[in-house]
Amino acid sequence: MNDNRIILCRCEDVTLRDFRQAYAEGFTELESLKRYTGLGTGFCQGKGCLSEAVLELAVLRDADPAGIRLTNIRPPAEPLTFAQLAGLDIPEHPAQADTGEDQS
Amino acid sequence: MIPLSQGPVPATADAVLVGGGINGLATAYELARRGLKNIVVIEQNYIGSGSTGRCGGGIRQQWTTAENIRLAQESVALYEKMSAELGYQVFFRQGGYLMITESEADLPALREAVALQNRCSVPTEFLQPAECLKIVPELDVSRLKGATFCPRDGTAYPFAVVWGYARACHRLGVKIFIRTAVRDILSDDGRVLGVETDRGRISAPVVVNCAGPWARHLAAKVGVELPNRQERHEIMVSESLKPFLDPMVISITNGIYFSQSLRGEIVGGIGDPHEPHWQDPADFDTRSQLRFAVRFARALIQLYPRAAEVRLMRQWAGLYDVTPDHRPILGGVPGLGGYYHICGFSGHGFMLGPVTGRRMAAQITTGHPDEIINSLSLSRFENGDLQTDAFVVG
Ligand SMILES: Cc1cc2nc3c(=O)[nH]c(=O)nc-3n(C[C@H](O)[C@H](O)[C@H](O)COP(=O)(O)OP(=O)(O)OC[C@H]3O[C@@H](n4cnc5c(N)ncnc54)[C@H](O)[C@@H]3O)c2cc1C
């Protein structure tokens, strides 16, 4: 099938061809492929595409996928609104957390 | 394309640059442009993996010392031409920088800074809180006491900048090795002899330490003691929104800064006086903290209430390489010919990298003294020649 019609990252619309082209341009590291194509930077934060990307990278490198490092996984696990975050009961200063005192 | 050298490292080079961040690559490019041959850049991880790829991309000329203003001005001139010069789109955009304060007590310093910047031909203006709404219409200005705005400040995409320099380096014959670490700097009888990498030795008469947060550790290999310490700073991006925010907004009151990327994300961080600092790379901790996300969210909503329902997508952390006076350390050291360092940017090395690379390359190739490099030399800490800029924020 035409690699321009296979979508690797659905959130950011990155096709298999985009990915292969970026690799051919010298973005041979998954971390760099992520920044160049946008792969894995959308709503699912790579949950739907990173493992596929590793398999494809293994083919391109003619290497064992087990030896390919994933990109760093960044929090949060699911996108949260600023309002949700602002409402969390987390002290602003680490010292407060350490003392366990109720600051409110 | 990002051309990376394959195979073994060369046995000899005319110059080795340690670090594939903006400083290593900009300096390599400027050295090559001046005709130096056989230049090698060694990066232990991937290009931009240090502070450069973690940074906010902000570029401003609003400083309070003539030296910082001049460097930033020269750098903005380079950024304005960068995409054309490197043949690579670096997404430099001059949406301006809006520096705000919630404290009456800051106003005299802000006015003084504007006057100094204007004397240096930086077109900054002082704004009353209500006037900020012309620049950021939905800003909550109720707690603001004043602001300054320079329309020629802006942002660029950090990865595109290092990729662009890497490509231009390659066109000029520079060899770039990634996933290769410099283990030692070799010297004898007061001269640098080269570097020992984990893939072999490179003999070279010039070694430039552009190792960012790791520069102190590397310098120690040749007995150079840098006073730098490394601090964690966190940053985040939101989901993409349609364009709504032209400038970078930065508060000198609590250190929050945020801008909108060309992908539409809000990109921002906030300074944190409670963060620890380190000097030994074994201690570096760049894990993300929920505490940062919460502090940032609260400060953002306070300034920009409409952001409340926007989602935070991703947060990460990087290191500032901080010097006692928050100014970079440039140049060489007496008694060790061929050794140079370009480090200690204290959180503003992305905006200065193009010009520090250019000035250092000129100094290395011609040996002509450079007034600014001299005043930023390591020896200033012995001479007590310290002057801190009041606008170190973030
Ligand atoms: C969260 C955050 C936000 C920031 N925001 C801004 C901003 O808005 N504007 C601004 O101007 N600045 C900002 N900065 C600061 C800026 O990122 C740095 O000052 C700048 O990127 C430094 O560039 P550099 O090339 O000197 O160092 P780095 O980018 O850190 O590069 C050093 C490189 O050297 C490599 N290295 C180290 N040791 C070795 C070794 N022994 N062998 C081989 N390679 C080695 C590292 O892997 C690294 O890639 C920010 C920093 C952070 C952390």
Side-chain angles (χ1 to χ4, degrees), chain B residues 17-77:
Chain B
L17 295 105
V18 189
I22 187 167
N23 278 293
L25 290 163
T27 309
Y29 166 74
E30 295 289 350
L31 285 170
R33 225 170 49 85
R34 281 170 178 73
L36 199 73
K37 306 281 178 224
N38 303 322
I39 300 169
V40 175
V41 178
I42 304 285
E43 165 55 49
Q44 63 188 1
N45 205 343
Y46 57 93
I47 287 180
S49 61
S51 305
T52 303
R54 295 160 190 269
C55 90
I59 299 160
R60 66 168 145 114
Q61 301 158 95
Q62 296 184 65
W63 291 99
T64 67
T65 62
E67 176 187 272
N68 266 344
I69 295 170
R70 177 151 160 220
L71 282 175
Q73 243 178 327
E74 287 179 16
S75 221
V76 165

Side-chain angles (χ1 to χ4, degrees), chain B residues 345-376:
Chain B
F345 284 87
S346 308
H348 43 278
F350 179 69
M351 64 183 81
L352 298 183
V355 66
T356 47
R358 177 162 294 199
R359 281 175 172 270
M360 280 295 297
Q363 162 115 79
I364 291 168
T365 50
T366 67
H368 293 157
D370 175 311
E371 183 201 339
I372 289 191
I373 294 176
N374 285 347
S375 88
L376 291 173

